[in-house]
Amino acid sequence: MDNKAVVLGANYYIGLSTIRCLGIHDVHVAAVDYSWEGAYGLESKYVSEALIAPHYKKDPEGLLSFLIDYSKQQSKTPVLIPTADPYVEFVDEHLMELREHFLIPQKEQGLYTKIMDKGTLHTLASEHGVAVPETVHIDEENFLQKVEEKIQFPCLVKPVDSPAFVSKFRRKLFKVFTEEELLEKVNMAKEENIEVIVQRIIPGFDDHMYTFDAYLNQYSEVTHWVTCQKLRQFPVNYGASVYTQQKYVPELYDLGKKFLEGIQYKGFAEIEFKKDEQTGQFYLIEINVRITNLNSLLYKTGINMPYITYRELTGNPVEPKAVEKDMNLVFWYAYEDLLAVREYVKTGQLSIQKVLASYFRPKAHAIWDAKDPKPAFAFGKKMAGLVAGKVRKTS
C-alpha cells in the first residue's frame, strides 16, 4: 500500500467512516481539515497523518497549493477522496490541476457540479428516462400560474446549489403552503443570490425514501452496489438519514445503473429516490457524489466504497459485488435521531412504541466504534461545549 489516501474533511462522521474504511486495510490515511476544533475524525487511530490546511472557501488557492505540495513530497501518487459537498465542488473546480498530482475517479471536469445542481440534474435525468418531480423555475414566464396548475400547494422551494443554501438557511429546503409564503421564500433566496426552483411534493412518509449506492469503474460500469430505505431523517421529512436500513430493491438497480452509466459517471455515487405512495413510481430526488452518510452501513454489508475506490485507482481492483438480499442492518446517527424522534412523536407521525420497537436490530453507528472510541469521546466533548455555550448565552 505505497499510495497514500488523502481524505478531505474530518469534522463530520462521513470523513470519520472514510478514514476507518481505509485504515482497517492498512492504507496510510492523511486526513485533512481546516481546523483542529471540532474535527473529531482526526482522533481516529486509523489516521496516519493529521493535516491542517487552508479553508476551501476562504482560501481555495491556498488549499490547492497545499495539496499539490503534499503530493510532490510523496514517492507514489496519492488517492484523493473528498467527504463533503464543498470539498467536491473544490475538487471539481480544480480537477485538471489536481489530476496531475492525485488519483481521482472522475475525469470530466464539471460533471460533479452538473449532478449537484438540481436544474442540470433534472435535465440529465429526463434525457435518460428517469422520472423527477414536476418542477417550475422561478424565472419562467407566469411561474405562479404554472405552480398552481402543474404543482399545487403545498410545494417545495429547493436550491439549485444545496451547499450554499444549507450554509445560509441551515436547512435543505422550504416547504410552503400559500402563494404569499412562496413569494416570501423565493425573495429570501434572491436576496442571498441563491437560485431556487419550485417542486411538487411526492406523496409518502419518510420511509418512502430510498437510496441506490454504487461504484462505477473507469469504464463507467457499475461494479458494486447496495440499496437502502430511510426510516427516519433529520430535519424530519426533508433531511439527512439518521435511521436507515439496508433493503434490497432490484428496481433501483435498474434505474440507477441506466442513469449513471448513461452519463459516463466514474467513482462513487448515491442516488436518492422517493417512491410515490399512490402510484408506486420512483422519482429521482438528488445525487450525492461524495461518500455517503450511510458509509458505515455499506461497510457492514460488505461494500467498502472508500477502499473499492482506493484499490481501483491504484491498479488492483476489488472483485465486483452486490448486496442482493436483506441483511437486517440499520445505520444509526444517535444524536440527530433522538432530535428527529422528538419531532416525529410531537407531530403525530410516529408513536413512541413504534420507535422503540425499531431499535432492536444490529446497527452500524455513525460515530461510535468500540475498536476506535476516541472520536466518539471527542464528539461528546464537542457537543458538551456547544450545550454549555448555549446555557451561558441564555443566562
Side-chain angles (χ1 to χ4, degrees):
M1 302 275 183
D2 294 332
N3 303 79
K4 295 180 179 180
V6 176
V7 175
L8 300 179
N11 64 358
Y12 196 51
Y13 63 82
I14 299 176
L16 171 61
S17 66
T18 302
I19 290 164
R20 286 170 170 164
C21 280
L22 294 164
I24 56 170
H25 289 289
D26 296 322
V27 175
H28 181 111
V29 178
V32 179
D33 212 293
Y34 55 82
S35 172
W36 283 101
E37 186 178 353
Y40 53 88
L42 298 179
E43 301 292 336
S44 173
K45 71 178 184 179
Y46 298 110
V47 172
S48 303
E49 291 178 86
L51 306 173
I52 303 301
H55 195 284
Y56 51 79
K57 192 73 76 179
K58 297 176 182 175
D59 186 11
E61 294 302 323
L63 175 57
L64 181 63
S65 297
F66 177 92
L67 292 172
I68 291 174
D69 289 345
Y70 178 83
S71 176
K72 287 179 176 178
Q73 297 169 24
Q74 312 309 315
S75 57
K76 295 272 190 177
T77 308
V79 175
L80 187 65
I81 303 180
T83 67
D85 288 343
Y87 281 117
V88 172
E89 292 178 329
F90 166 82
V91 169
D92 201 25
E93 185 175 349
H94 302 283
L95 186 62
M96 294 302 105
E97 293 164 278
L98 288 168
R99 280 187 61 83
E100 294 178 15
H101 304 277
F102 289 92
L103 301 175
I104 301 170
Q106 197 54 254
K107 292 179 179 177
E108 181 187 335
Q109 186 170 21
L111 184 58
Y112 284 145
T113 304
K114 201 181 292 184
I115 290 171
M116 293 170 72
D117 182 298
K118 299 294 190 298
T120 49
L121 172 61
H122 286 186
T123 301
L124 282 173
S126 298
E127 288 172 355
H128 290 84
V130 180
V132 293
E134 291 82 350
T135 301
V136 171
H137 295 262
I138 63 169
D139 56 357
E140 291 182 34
E141 190 176 348
N142 301 321
F143 102 90
L144 286 174
Q145 183 182 339
K146 290 180 180 177
V147 169
E148 282 283 1
E149 295 172 352
K150 190 175 176 183
I151 296 176
Q152 302 181 336
F153 292 97
C155 58
L156 304 177
V157 178
K158 298 180 71 173
V160 167
D161 177 10
S162 289
F165 187 93
V166 172
S167 176
K168 181 62 189 177
F169 298 112
R170 311 312 301 170
R171 61 180 66 194
K172 293 177 73 172
L173 51 79
F174 295 127
K175 182 178 181 179
V176 298
F177 295 83
T178 64
E179 183 178 305
E180 292 74 22
E181 201 175 353
L182 170 61
L183 291 172
E184 176 195 345
K185 299 304 183 186
V186 166
N187 287 331
M188 283 173 59
K190 281 183 176 178
E191 287 172 8
E192 299 298 334
N193 202 28
I194 296 174
E195 185 181 353
V196 292
I197 55 178
V198 185
Q199 201 169 82
R200 179 172 79 91
I201 297 174
I202 305 302
F205 180 59
D206 291 2
D207 61 3
H208 283 61
M209 293 293 300
Y210 294 82
T211 67
F212 172 67
D213 294 272
Y215 186 83
L216 289 87
N217 63 18
Q218 290 298 291
Y219 300 100
S220 296
E221 300 166 334
V222 172
T223 58
H224 299 77
W225 62 273
V226 58
T227 55
C228 302
Q229 178 186 18
K230 287 188 182 183
L231 298 178
R232 296 191 290 274
Q233 48 191 350
F234 185 78
V236 301
N237 307 136
Y238 303 103
S241 298
V242 293
Y243 201 74
T244 295
Q245 66 179 352
Q246 177 271 322
K247 182 76 173 174
Y248 175 51
V249 187
E251 188 177 348
L252 297 183
Y253 169 73
D254 296 333
L255 290 169
K257 179 178 187 293
K258 177 185 176 183
F259 177 71
L260 293 173
E261 292 186 351
I263 64 171
Q264 293 292 291
Y265 190 84
K266 297 172 177 63
F268 171 77
E270 177 185 77
I271 306 180
E272 288 195 12
F273 291 95
K274 187 167 186 182
K275 185 178 183 179
D276 188 317
E277 68 177 1
Q278 297 170 359
T279 66
Q281 183 173 12
F282 285 100
Y283 288 83
L284 186 152
I285 302 299
E286 66 179 10
I287 299 184
N288 294 314
V289 295
R290 41 85 181 143
I291 299 299
T292 170
N293 300 54
L294 308 176
N295 189 51
S296 59
L297 174 62
L298 306 191
Y299 168 71
K300 287 239 177 185
T301 69
I303 307 289
N304 185 337
M305 292 296 185
Y307 189 56
I308 291 166
T309 305
Y310 178 89
R311 284 277 297 269
E312 198 216 355
L313 294 181
T314 55
N316 184 24
V318 176
E319 284 291 313
K321 183 177 180 180
V323 181
E324 298 178 287
K325 62 179 180 179
D326 293 338
M327 299 181 68
N328 193 37
L329 290 168
V330 293
F331 164 80
W332 190 31
Y333 182 24
Y335 168 66
E336 287 195 348
D337 185 43
L338 294 175
L339 298 175
V341 164
R342 182 177 64 180
E343 190 65 20
Y344 282 122
V345 172
K346 181 180 174 183
T347 55
Q349 297 182 65
L350 286 175
S351 67
I352 294 228
Q353 291 81 359
K354 187 167 185 177
V355 170
L356 291 176
S358 73
Y359 283 128
F360 294 95
R361 300 173 66 180
K363 297 179 184 66
H365 294 273
I367 298 173
W368 173 251
D369 184 340
K371 295 179 181 177
D372 185 31
K374 284 183 70 177
F377 296 137
F379 175 77
K381 184 178 177 182
K382 172 185 174 182
M383 297 314 299
L386 289 174
V387 171
K390 286 183 179 179
V391 170
R392 285 195 297 270
K393 196 172 182 181
T394 303
S395 58

